[in-house]
Amino acid sequence: MTPSSDKDINRLGNSNFAGKHGSHCHSSPIQAACGPEEGGGTGHSGTKVGYSVTDVPPWYLCILLGIQHFLTAMGGLVAVPLMLSEGLCLQHDLLTQSHLISTIIFVSGICTLLQVLFGVRLPIIQGGTLTFLTPTLAMLSLPNWKCPAWTNNATLVNTSSPEFIQVWQTRMREVQGTIIVTSCFQIFVGFSGLIGFLMRFIGPLTIAPTITLVTLPLFESAGDMAGQHWGIAFLTISFIVLFSQYLKQVAVPVPSYERGKKCHFFPIYLFQIFPVLLGLSLSWLLCYVLTVTSVLPEAPTAYGHLARTDSRGDVLSQAPWFRLPYPGQWGTPTVSLAGIFGILAGVISSMLESVGDYYACARLCGAPPPPKHAISRGIGMEGIGCLLAGAWGTGSGTTSYSENVGALGITKVGSRMVIIAAACTMLLSGIFSKVGAMLASIPIPVIGGMFLVMFGVIVAVGISNLQYTDMNSSRNIFIFGFSLFAGLTIPNWASKNSALLETGIIQLDQVILVLLTTSMFVGGLLGFILDNTIPGTQEERGLLAWKQSHKGGTESSQVISKVYDLPFGIGTRYCNVSWFRYLPACPRRLSGDKRMDELKVAGQKINVKASLERNSEIGDDTRI
């Protein structure tokens, strides 16, 4: 998620692709071919991959791995609408929740296609971001946006009444308008190349408290959900921990058929790929069994009732089979000044996360580190994604998903076509609304258990940014500790004493209240100010180590151009105008002489590499 979020899962080797003499065997569904002639080999960053960014795997492999990427992102896609439902007064309207889930899946598919084709052009999934969630909930907690008391009582809520629809849609339209306005800032920062300038002043001591405070204040909500039945919640946690930590190296034999080998079994690291999905499914199945056998109480007021699979209503039967989400489906968006500044903190945090994801993705899929124009284009395209998310009404913006970046390290398939297949799967699932209805009916304690694990990991990812800094320095200890603690204390006080912050100007009061009740804004701002004003060396602040981790290699411009240039000949065969090279988001072309020199150097490198490989093979053949 962040520039330091190279999770352990990203560094795990996968023996499925290690064939004889170091060739790459693609295990089924990753076992389609064996040998370098299918595009396998060692990438530019030294990472061995089965298929590189520009390779096109067989169509069935693209579909299967695309579905896998969609399922990997499912937890993050579902989390945003479920967490936002209470702030929108929708906790008792499961049908609308299912529509929100379908909408965010559909829009994520559109944004993924745009990012892969015209953005940074790396195989990276786009989806709803939790960094927008905290400031959005802070905005919805303002006195004029608090849910009426009757919406908290399920017996008083008529989800089809015009009064109730007006209540939640006015709040959603406010969130939409705020996201649309703030996305324009991200579009400007990306396509203007300003992201490179901002990175000079934002270091690990700014990012660490910001990311840590994204989910740390949500402990109460996660605890309330899990507390509906702690037994089911702990079982969900146990399953996820068991699969993701203890069984991650256990290969499950899966039957397969090939023309040469006929029927045989091949190993696949199922637990490592789908820990959250498997944990949710098993806990959900157990809740169904306990519901059918009447072990869980039927009385709505009894403890554990919300663990029943029928406690969330018959949303699956109510939902239509097909529903096409469209812009403005909840009405015309509205804008207020209060939410804009709060969500800007989420936008900045999301941009910094994505920059780290780009470098991690390039490393894992064997591509050269992304050049400045690709990063600028990627951030700008994410801004367009947030704009679309606001127009469609997902309740959140979009960002790059680090869990899918980690999946690249497992499958060793870094092809763009796989992510395009995943985006098409998202589009179809968003239209097929029964999928959203099924996800909306997950029992509350199961969701709470999942949130405890997911939110805890995000907190740890934020803290992991400190690995670049010198944590033996009292300066750094003070900055991080004070920023983190103040980011929890000040919002807690401000939410309880809002009357003391009133200035008499309603708009200004709302801005102040939203900013001071947004933990990630308070902690990130304090970290930014202190890190840039308290004297400290570049090495002490962690800036040198951070820049070194993002330092590019010596790849030729031909290799970089093949991966990161715009598709369909844009900028080369078509729309090739001289002033394109002055745009920060467009690649700069070398002169003919420089290009010939690079081609000669690249050819020499290839000849030397081939010679070394031949010598190595001769050595292997004559070895006793």
Side-chain angles (χ1 to χ4, degrees):
M1 290 177 66
T2 64
S4 68
S5 63
D6 303 330
K7 302 184 181 72
D8 292 338
I9 198 171
N10 294 0
R11 295 189 291 268
L12 292 173
N14 188 352
S15 59
N16 289 355
F17 286 86
K20 190 176 181 181
H21 300 307
S23 63
H24 295 86
C25 295
H26 309 283
S27 61
S28 180
I30 307 166
Q31 217 172 27
C34 183
E37 69 273 10
E38 289 291 339
T42 304
H44 308 289
S45 60
T47 301
K48 291 185 177 181
V49 292
Y51 290 97
S52 65
V53 178
T54 55
D55 290 333
V56 180
W59 64 269
Y60 56 87
L61 186 61
C62 289
I63 294 174
L64 291 174
L65 289 176
I67 294 173
Q68 171 185 287
H69 273 285
F70 169 56
L71 295 177
T72 304
M74 186 67 74
L77 292 172
V78 174
V80 174
L82 293 181
M83 287 296 298
L84 198 60
S85 61
E86 187 173 355
L88 295 172
C89 318
L90 289 173
Q91 61 268 39
H92 300 302
D93 187 358
L94 301 184
L95 185 59
T96 301
Q97 288 184 31
S98 72
H99 293 336
L100 288 178
I101 293 174
S102 297
T103 300
I104 198 170
I105 292 174
F106 182 80
V107 174
S108 297
I110 296 176
C111 296
T112 300
L113 281 176
L114 291 175
Q115 186 67 271
V116 173
L117 293 176
F118 303 103
V120 72
R121 305 219 66 210
L122 287 171
I124 195 164
I125 292 286
Q126 303 292 294
T129 171
L130 289 171
T131 57
F132 281 44
L133 185 61
T134 304
T136 300
L137 292 176
M139 182 183 72
L140 293 175
S141 65
L142 291 173
N144 56 322
W145 293 119
K146 280 188 177 179
C147 295
W150 60 270
T151 61
N152 297 321
N153 190 338
T155 60
L156 299 178
V157 173
N158 180 7
T159 57
S160 59
S161 67
E163 182 183 6
F164 176 75
I165 294 175
Q166 179 69 13
V167 165
W168 75 263
Q169 286 192 357
T170 52
R171 286 156 177 78
M172 173 57 82
R173 290 196 291 267
E174 186 73 13
V175 174
Q176 286 182 252
T178 304
I179 292 174
I180 290 174
V181 172
T182 52
S183 67
C184 296
F185 171 76
Q186 186 170 359
I187 294 172
F188 171 75
V189 169
F191 289 118
S192 67
L194 192 61
I195 183 66
F197 176 77
L198 293 176
M199 294 295 289
R200 299 179 186 176
F201 304 98
I202 299 176
L205 286 171
T206 301
I207 293 178
T210 303
I211 304 301
T212 302
L213 291 169
V214 168
T215 57
L216 197 58
L218 300 176
F219 71 92
E220 187 173 358
S221 298
D224 289 342
M225 288 183 170
Q228 299 297 330
H229 196 296
W230 279 110
I232 298 296
F234 275 125
L235 185 66
T236 305
I237 295 170
S238 300
F239 280 140
I240 296 176
V241 173
L242 176 67
F243 297 146
S244 65
Q245 303 302 321
Y246 293 101
L247 299 180
K248 61 185 178 181
Q249 297 287 11
V250 176
V252 179
V254 178
S256 177
Y257 176 82
E258 289 185 35
R259 187 174 300 174
K261 299 181 180 179
K262 296 186 178 180
C263 292
H264 66 284
F265 290 86
F266 68 91
I268 182 170
Y269 293 91
L270 196 65
F271 302 117
Q272 191 182 42
I273 298 173
F274 302 122
V276 176
L277 184 67
L278 289 174
L280 283 178
S281 301
L282 289 177
S283 298
W284 199 353
L285 179 62
L286 179 64
C287 289
Y288 175 74
V289 173
L290 296 178
T291 300
V292 172
T293 56
S294 299
V295 174
L296 295 172
E298 297 182 8
T301 57
Y303 177 78
H305 171 73
L306 291 179
R308 294 177 62 92
T309 53
D310 58 1
S311 65
R312 309 261 292 165
D314 54 348
V315 61
L316 194 58
S317 61
Q318 293 178 4
W321 282 98
F322 299 99
R323 179 181 177 274
L324 181 63
Y326 57 92
Q329 56 186 334
W330 318 127
T332 304
T334 58
V335 183
S336 66
L337 192 62
I340 292 176
F341 290 96
I343 293 186
L344 272 179
V347 168
I348 295 173
S349 176
S350 176
M351 288 191 294
L352 298 177
E353 291 177 35
S354 296
V355 170
D357 281 335
Y358 297 161
Y359 284 99
C361 182
R363 185 175 67 252
L364 289 173
C365 68
K372 291 182 179 179
H373 68 81
I375 294 177
S376 297
R377 208 166 56 236
I379 295 299
M381 197 58 67
E382 285 195 15
I384 293 177
C386 290
L387 183 68
L388 297 177
W392 257 266
T394 64
S396 174
T398 59
T399 190
S400 301
Y401 267 20
S402 58
E403 50 264 50
N404 290 86
V405 174
L408 296 175
I410 298 171
T411 63
K412 304 298 181 186
V413 176
S415 172
R416 277 194 290 251
M417 290 303 298
V418 170
I419 304 302
I420 291 174
C424 294
T425 305
M426 290 182 180
L427 292 173
L428 293 176
S429 300
I431 297 173
F432 186 65
S433 57
K434 291 290 185 182
V435 174
M438 182 179 65
L439 296 173
S441 62
I442 300 175
I444 292 292
V446 176
I447 298 173
M450 178 188 71
F451 283 170
L452 284 177
V453 176
M454 289 179 60
F455 293 171
V457 169
I458 294 174
V459 169
V461 165
I463 296 175
S464 69
N465 284 277
L466 299 177
Q467 66 182 295
Y468 296 103
T469 66
D470 179 11
M471 289 312 293
N472 290 320
S473 166
S474 59
R475 169 194 183 273
N476 294 346
I477 291 175
F478 164 74
I479 292 175
F480 177 72
F482 176 71
S483 300
L484 185 65
F485 196 74
L488 292 172
T489 306
I490 294 176
N492 181 61
W493 178 88
S495 61
K496 295 178 180 178
N497 300 274
S498 58
L500 298 177
L501 300 173
E502 293 179 357
T503 62
I505 305 174
I506 297 178
Q507 291 78 7
L508 181 60
D509 292 344
Q510 291 178 345
V511 170
I512 293 174
L513 190 59
V514 168
L515 292 181
L516 292 183
T517 54
T518 303
S519 297
M520 58 184 293
F521 172 80
V522 175
L525 180 64
L526 289 174
F528 174 80
I529 294 173
L530 295 175
D531 188 35
N532 285 279
T533 55
I534 297 178
T537 64
Q538 295 277 308
E539 184 178 5
E540 184 181 15
R541 297 173 60 189
L543 298 179
L544 290 181
W546 194 5
K547 291 176 182 177
Q548 186 66 29
S549 68
H550 290 170
K551 188 176 181 180
T554 57
E555 292 83 1
S556 70
S557 65
Q558 298 296 314
V559 176
I560 295 175
S561 174
K562 185 179 180 182
V563 176
Y564 295 107
D565 274 10
L566 291 167
F568 313 124
I570 299 176
T572 54
R573 293 192 302 270
Y574 310 108
C575 304
N576 187 11
V577 292
S578 58
W579 53 266
F580 261 27
R581 65 177 181 270
Y582 298 108
L583 298 178
C586 291
R588 295 183 178 181
R589 298 291 170 192
L590 295 177
S591 63
D593 293 339
K594 290 184 178 180
R595 186 171 298 179
M596 288 301 298
D597 292 341
E598 280 206 353
L599 286 173
K600 291 179 181 178
V601 172
Q604 292 173 359
K605 287 183 179 179
I606 292 173
N607 292 334
V608 172
K609 183 178 179 181
S611 177
L612 291 174
E613 288 178 351
R614 284 194 299 271
N615 293 338
S616 176
E617 291 174 359
I618 293 172
D620 289 341
D621 293 338
T622 58
R623 188 170 49 198
I624 299 176

